[in-house]
């Protein structure tokens, strides 16, 4: 190989390396503005201003070459905010360049701004590769920017050939990143186990308390955001076990100490309100919150249910004088489980005292080898829950094999006065609890009208592959 050919190969290699080292770059100098959806919802309709759009050229440009900036969005760009000219003075080894806006167009919501190179200055050995063009901050319609806005660079020569095509991902940059502002996360879930051996009046241990710790916070650091005016929490679950200390006041008035709300930081929270299905309270700012639940203050005669918990949150916010609020998605907050079997029968009709045309068919099957005590929670049509203890049911046990519950349940309902009064058939939901392993117990439930019309009632004891609901 002769020296001339070798030098030519080296020169080509150097040129290739130099060309790959420089490429069009709009991403590095153009800084994204992070905007919350809540800000867009309540900010006065109008201008949303970007950070400066900055483009670094990566090739040699000539007069009449065209640079195009393409903006995503639903025709959101205010084209009057585009600079008519951008001029950069020569600063060896970089040339000077002037570009002028020649046209704008909108297609399917996408806006294109075309700039033509009108002048190039500098020495013959200087270059446009590396020249930075600053198009300044641009204005967008805030009502059309909810999906975010990005800008993409492209260029063609004065003969319409693609120019400055290197750069890859650096050729596009988000101007506005839009994200939901608020979130709730669970740090410590409720996870107590209700003890059937203790008549479901205690958790295993024995224990009476469980704690939930969760945090409400902003999802990111925002440049434009809404101000928090308050946040309302509702812990969904079964709170029918809470005893009401004041029957003359609306809602459930729990014994002091049953629920304790403790913010970690600066939040100020109000006293909780309690219903059979939710524990609710409000705080003034986002914070980490600890909810301590203790059954001991109200005594030991409350029957604790197995239940799942979730956190619902509603955030109140504003920008200036404009206000709004938003419901966040429910967040799973754990569960109280049962160290036994629980089967829910959603509907079962019963005769009132002077009727005799309806009979029930309720059997429990125990595939295990131990007998387990049975108790039942009865929910009346008005939502009242009555616990039938094992003693109320005459001490009946779910022995290995099949045990008929029908008579014991009817006798206990009558003893509680639940079949008295009114002129219609009595209707109840039954939650049958057996002090035995969940996977060995199943329940059959049906009823009979006038001795011939049987109605099978689906319960949750046996589902696909005989796996019971948790």
């Amino acid at each position: 190989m002769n020296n001339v050919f070798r030098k030519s190969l080296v020169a080509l290699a150097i040129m290739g390396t130099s060309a790959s080292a420089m490429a069009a770059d709009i991403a590095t100098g153009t800084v994204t503005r992070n905007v919350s959806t809540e800000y867009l919802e309540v900010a006065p309709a109008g201008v949303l201003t970007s950070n400066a759009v900055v483009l670094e050229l990566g090739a040699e440009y000539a007069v009449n070459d065209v640079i195009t900036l393409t903006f995503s969005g639903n025709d959101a760009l205010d084209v009057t905010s585009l600079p008519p000219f951008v001029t950069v003075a020569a600063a060896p080894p970089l040339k000077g360049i002037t570009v002028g806006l020649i046209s704008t167009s909108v297609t399917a919501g996408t806006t294109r701004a075309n700039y033509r190179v009108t002048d190039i200055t500098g020495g013959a050995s200087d270059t446009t590769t590396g020249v930075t063009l600053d198009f300044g901050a641009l204005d967008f319609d805030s009502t059309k920017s909810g999906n975010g806005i990005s800008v993409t660079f492209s260029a063609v020569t004065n003969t319409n050939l693609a120019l400055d095509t290197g750069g890859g991902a650096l050729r596009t940059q988000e101007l506005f990143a839009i994200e939901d502002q608020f979130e709730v996360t669970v740090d410590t879930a409720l996870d107590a186990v209700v003890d059937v051996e203790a008549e479901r009046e205690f958790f295993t241990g024995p224990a009476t308390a469980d704690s939930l710790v969760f945090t409400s916070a902003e999802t990111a650091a925002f440049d434009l955001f809404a101000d928090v005016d308050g946040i309302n929490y509702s812990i969904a679950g079964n709170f029918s076990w809470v005893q009401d200390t004041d029957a003359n006041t609306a809602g459930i008035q729990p014994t002091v100490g049953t629920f304790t709300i403790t913010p970690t930081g600066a939040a100020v929270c109000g006293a909780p309100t309690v219903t059979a299905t939710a524990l609710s309270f409000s705080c003034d700012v986002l914070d980490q919150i600890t909810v301590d639940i203790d059954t001991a203050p109200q005594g030991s005669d409350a029957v604790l249910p197995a239940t799942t918990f979730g956190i619902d949150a509603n955030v109140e916010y504003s920008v200036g004088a404009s206000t709004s609020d938003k419901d966040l998605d429910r967040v799973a907050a754990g569960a109280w489980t049962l160290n036994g079997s629980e089967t829910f029968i959603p509907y079962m009709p019963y005769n009132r005292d002077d009727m005799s045309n309806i009979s029930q068919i309720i059997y429990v099957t125990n595939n295990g080898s131990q007998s387990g005590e049975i108790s039942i929670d009865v929910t009346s049509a008005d939502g009242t829950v009555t616990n039938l203890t094992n003693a109320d049911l005459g001490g009946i046990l779910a022995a290995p094999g099949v045990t008929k519950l029908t008579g014991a349940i009817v006798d206990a309902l009558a003893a509680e006065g639940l079949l008295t009064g009114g002129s219609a058939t009595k209707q109840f939901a039954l939650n049958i609890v057996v002090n035995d392993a969940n996977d060995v117990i199943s329940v059959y439930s049906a009823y009979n009208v006038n001795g011939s019309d049987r109605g099978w009632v689906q319960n949750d004891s046996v589902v696909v592959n005989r796996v019971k609901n948790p």
Side-chain angles (χ1 to χ4, degrees), residues 107-191:
T107 304
T110 298
T111 304
R112 290 176 175 81
N114 299 306
Y115 282 86
R116 182 172 62 88
V117 178
T118 61
D119 189 28
I120 292 180
T121 61
S125 62
D126 292 340
T127 179
T128 60
T129 299
V131 170
T132 297
L133 298 177
D134 187 340
F135 293 85
L138 304 179
D139 294 334
F140 296 81
D141 186 335
S142 63
T143 65
K144 299 178 180 180
S145 304
N147 292 324
I149 302 290
S150 63
V151 58
T152 299
F153 155 83
S154 62
V156 295
T157 67
N158 53 21
T159 57
N160 206 36
L161 297 175
L163 174 65
D164 207 353
T165 56
L170 295 176
R171 297 164 64 87
T172 297
Q173 175 65 1
E174 280 188 302
L175 292 178
F176 301 103
I178 312 300
E179 186 176 353
D180 290 341
Q181 186 172 338
F182 307 110
E183 66 178 353
V184 171
T185 56
V186 172
D187 306 298
T188 303
L190 294 162
D191 62 356

Side-chain angles (χ1 to χ4, degrees), residues 42 85 124 204 250 352 361 413:
V42 297
F85 292 94
T204 55
R352 62 180 188 271
I361 309 166
L413 291 174

Side-chain angles (χ1 to χ4, degrees), residues 238-276:
N238 185 346
F239 294 95
S240 61
W241 56 271
V242 182
Q243 297 176 3
D244 190 359
T245 63
D246 186 354
N248 297 319
T249 301
I252 299 174
Q253 314 306 309
T255 304
V256 174
T258 303
F259 301 103
T260 304
I261 311 298
T262 308
T264 297
V268 176
C269 301
T273 59
V274 185
T275 68

Side-chain angles (χ1 to χ4, degrees), residues 186-224:
V186 172
D187 306 298
T188 303
L190 294 162
D191 62 356
V193 178
V194 179
D195 192 358
V196 293
E197 295 282 358
E199 301 294 334
R200 292 186 291 153
E201 294 177 355
F202 296 92
F203 302 123
T204 55
T208 62
D210 196 9
S211 294
L212 168 66
V213 183
F214 63 90
T215 300
S216 58
E218 294 189 344
T219 59
F222 291 95
D223 300 304
L224 298 173

